[in-house]
Amino acid sequence: MKEKKECKMCGRYDYLEEHHLIFGRGLRGLSDKYKLVINICRPCHNKIHKDKDLMNWSRQKGQKMFEKNHTRKEFIKIFGKDYLSDKEQI
Ligand SMILES: [Zn+2]
Ligand SMILES: [Zn+2]
């Protein structure tokens, strides 16, 4: 799968940085391992680490990416959380 080089949030093409979709204590490395990484531009990147809704969006997106090749059980086992079901219950 070829990834387009553009910001996954606003679509711009410059100042792109790698963002680990699931981050936090010990999780960044796991994001690396399972390639849960997207390109986003610097302004969006700054936002994503400060805005709770965006952090949620990021983690859910990460879980969805993971679940393309793995089961939800595996996700919970590896990451210790279930960002998608937690949200759905509300
Ligand atoms: Zn952007
Ligand atoms: Zn980031």
Side-chain angles (χ1 to χ4, degrees):
M1 192 178 75
K2 245 192 188 166
E3 238 197 310
K4 263 191 262 165
K5 288 277 184 188
E6 60 182 40
C7 175
K8 284 282 182 293
M9 287 177 68
C10 72
R12 63 188 277 178
Y13 292 94
D14 40 358
Y15 301 111
L16 293 180
E17 300 175 343
E18 283 197 336
H19 167 65
H20 294 75
L21 285 168
I22 296 170
F23 47 87
R25 238 184 320 131
L27 299 177
R28 204 188 128 104
L30 289 172
S31 281
D32 244 344
K33 187 172 169 190
Y34 294 100
K35 305 261 184 292
L36 307 178
V37 177
I38 56 169
N39 291 306
I40 53 177
C41 69
R42 193 169 302 159
C44 287
H45 202 186
N46 286 335
K47 256 193 275 171
I48 214 169
H49 284 276
K50 285 176 191 148
D51 185 310
K52 268 211 170 119
D53 288 338
L54 288 176
M55 282 187 207
N56 254 330
W57 172 85
S58 173
R59 289 167 172 146
Q60 288 177 351
K61 192 174 168 66
Q63 185 171 351
K64 277 181 203 158
M65 261 167 91
F66 181 90
E67 287 183 359
K68 278 181 189 167
N69 306 310
H70 305 82
T71 64
R72 183 155 299 182
K73 265 196 179 147
E74 283 177 278
F75 184 88
I76 295 167
K77 202 172 151 197
I78 292 164
F79 289 88
K81 289 210 171 98
D82 181 354
Y83 300 110
L84 293 172
S85 300
D86 284 352
K87 189 87 177 185
E88 279 158 15
Q89 280 166 13
I90 296 166

